[in-house]
Amino acid sequence: MLRTAGAAALITATALMAGCSKSTTEAPHKQQVAEVGVFQVQQAPLSITTELPGRTAAFQVAEVRPQVNGLIQKRLFVEGADVKAGTALYQIDPAIYQATYNSAKAALAKAKANLLTAQPKVGRYKDLVAIEGVSKQDYDDAVASYEQAKADVESAAAALEQARINLEYTHVDAPISGRISRSSVTPGALVTANQTTALTTVQQLDPIYVDVTQTSEDMLRLKRDIESGNLKKNGGQARVTLLFSDGSKYAEEGKLQFSDVSVDPGTGNVTLRALFPNPKHDLLPGMFVRAVIESGVDEKAIAVPQQGVTRNPKGEATALVLNKEGKVEQRTLVTGGTLGDKWLVKSGLSNGDLLIVEGVQKVKPGAPAHAAAAKPDAGAAKVAAGGAVPANAKSAQ
């Protein structure tokens, strides 16, 4: 009986071990389906912008120079103040110019007096020559004297006008309205007409220009995108916003005025000029800024989270997509720049695709996967299905 019971126990143990062994060998054949977080790709209108470096430049610049010779008697402005056009800035000693004006005035009076005697003489000689009271030669001489007297009056009048202009030039006035710089001369300095060194400079700061540069390649690419219909051109002048060197935004919005008609052969860049209101004079000439220019509108833009895009050994952008069969598919993308924490995708993804943004390391192309809502990062764009797309973008540089 003991032998029979032992044999039965041995058979039971063997059966249990066989069952366990069978269970362990069959378990690996059941493939586990990974759970991944996805972002549903959606096309949306997107304003495409280009951020370019630039510098401010005054709207108008006038270098003030004397137009007559003389000694500076007074400086009539405060350096760094705002002046109006026509405001007196300097007083040059007018004594010699006043004397010249007085002399020219007297010369004109003398010429007019001579004309008063010459004109009646011509009338009298005309009647006398008809009855041979005077010779024809005397009459011709009287006519010549009259014409010369008229010319003398005109010459004296021109000399008087020139003397008046020179006398006015002793008051050096502001040619334009704007902010005046420091003075290069002091009272007592001798200045000469049209000298090389300016006495001071007046700059109009409201409005103000911002000159930026763009590569000719970027300009041609933008033009082709608009012509092909990939970008919809903004109506009218393109809007421009400014960023200061510390990242803060300038309160006023500007408009693009023109692009240069030639390419700089040294840099291959084209100069763009924008015009900005500057009522508070926050912008000063020579400041470094970054201009954000609206290039156009992409009616079918695609923006996806950066964590869903990687690079292969060739440097190409790739992404994993969960297809309709529930399997992972690898796509090669063409990107067109960044939008905050997102990539702008030109090709490789379509509207409605499920881009894998979480659990990428758990799957590989061809493997099945189960879609789940992705967890949004703090401060990042929402990556759940149907995430919204902001209305501005930064183009690739």
Side-chain angles (χ1 to χ4, degrees), residues 81-366:
D82 291 328
V83 297
K84 297 291 185 181
T87 302
L89 303 179
Y90 297 94
Q91 176 63 60
I92 297 175
D93 185 2
I96 188 172
Y97 299 102
Q98 183 66 57
T100 303
Y101 175 79
N102 294 338
S103 177
K105 188 175 181 182
L108 177 61
K110 181 180 178 180
K112 287 182 177 179
N114 292 334
L115 182 62
L116 288 176
T117 61
Q119 187 174 10
K121 189 176 181 179
V122 171
R124 290 193 300 268
Y125 275 33
K126 184 177 182 181
D127 294 336
L128 291 172
V129 77
I131 60 174
E132 297 183 355
V134 294
S135 67
K136 185 68 168 59
Q137 182 64 48
D138 290 338
Y139 173 72
D140 291 341
D141 291 343
V143 171
S145 297
Y146 170 65
E147 294 296 333
Q148 183 175 351
K150 286 200 303 183
D152 290 343
V153 169
E154 292 179 359
S155 177
L160 179 62
E161 179 64 15
Q162 184 177 1
R164 184 192 64 80
I165 293 172
N166 288 337
L167 182 59
E168 288 187 355
Y169 281 161
T170 60
H171 301 278
V172 181
D173 300 332
I176 61 172
S177 298
R179 179 163 294 181
I180 195 164
S181 65
R182 67 181 182 85
S183 176
S184 64
V185 296
T186 59
L190 176 64
V191 295
T192 57
N194 304 315
Q195 63 185 34
T196 304
T197 304
L199 302 181
T200 187
T201 303
V202 181
Q203 300 182 85
Q204 183 179 344
L205 304 181
D206 183 25
I208 194 169
Y209 286 126
V210 175
D211 294 330
V212 297
T213 55
Q214 184 182 39
T215 64
S216 56
E217 291 82 2
D218 287 344
M219 179 170 285
L220 289 174
R221 182 169 60 250
L222 176 62
K223 185 178 180 181
R224 285 194 294 265
D225 287 343
I226 292 175
E227 290 175 349
S228 65
N230 293 332
L231 282 181
K232 182 179 179 181
K233 188 175 182 180
N234 285 322
Q237 294 174 310
R239 295 183 300 173
V240 188
T241 56
L242 282 187
L243 300 176
F244 291 109
S245 55
D246 61 357
S248 60
K249 186 178 179 181
Y250 180 56
E252 302 288 342
E253 185 180 88
K255 291 185 177 180
L256 193 65
Q257 293 292 296
F258 82 101
S259 59
D260 209 343
V261 295
S262 60
V263 178
D264 188 330
T267 62
N269 292 336
V270 178
T271 299
L272 309 178
R273 169 163 278 186
L275 186 65
F276 281 81
N278 190 27
K280 298 181 180 179
H281 292 177
D282 293 332
L283 298 175
L284 299 176
M287 291 179 63
F288 175 80
V289 292
R290 296 194 70 83
V292 182
I293 304 174
E294 288 192 4
S295 304
V297 178
D298 189 345
E299 296 289 349
K300 298 180 179 180
I302 293 178
V304 299
Q306 291 185 3
Q307 61 263 39
V309 180
T310 58
R311 297 280 175 179
N312 61 20
K314 296 180 180 179
E316 299 171 327
T318 61
L320 296 180
V321 176
L322 190 61
N323 61 24
K324 295 180 180 180
E325 289 76 26
K327 292 187 178 181
V328 178
E329 180 181 332
Q330 188 174 48
R331 304 272 184 88
T332 301
L333 312 180
V334 176
T335 58
T338 59
L339 170 64
D341 64 339
K342 293 187 175 184
W343 281 108
L344 297 177
V345 179
K346 290 187 174 182
S347 65
L349 293 176
S350 303
N351 194 41
D353 283 344
L354 297 179
L355 175 69
I356 299 175
V357 294
E358 291 182 1
V360 177
Q361 69 280 2
K362 298 189 295 184
V363 293
K364 60 182 180 179

Side-chain angles (χ1 to χ4, degrees), residues 8-83:
L10 181 60
I11 293 171
T12 302
T14 302
L16 289 172
M17 291 177 65
C20 291
S21 176
K22 184 177 179 181
S23 176
T24 57
T25 55
E26 289 181 355
H29 293 288
K30 293 182 179 180
Q31 189 173 10
Q32 297 243 346
V33 179
E35 187 174 87
V36 293
V38 296
F39 171 87
Q40 186 175 8
V41 176
Q42 287 187 345
Q43 293 177 341
L46 189 67
S47 179
I48 304 300
T49 62
T50 304
E51 186 174 316
L52 301 171
R55 289 198 179 274
T56 55
F59 183 71
Q60 290 189 89
V61 180
E63 292 185 338
V64 181
R65 290 183 173 85
Q67 293 178 278
V68 292
N69 304 331
L71 291 174
I72 298 291
Q73 286 186 330
K74 297 178 183 178
R75 190 192 75 193
L76 305 172
F77 65 91
V78 178
E79 294 175 322
D82 291 328
V83 297

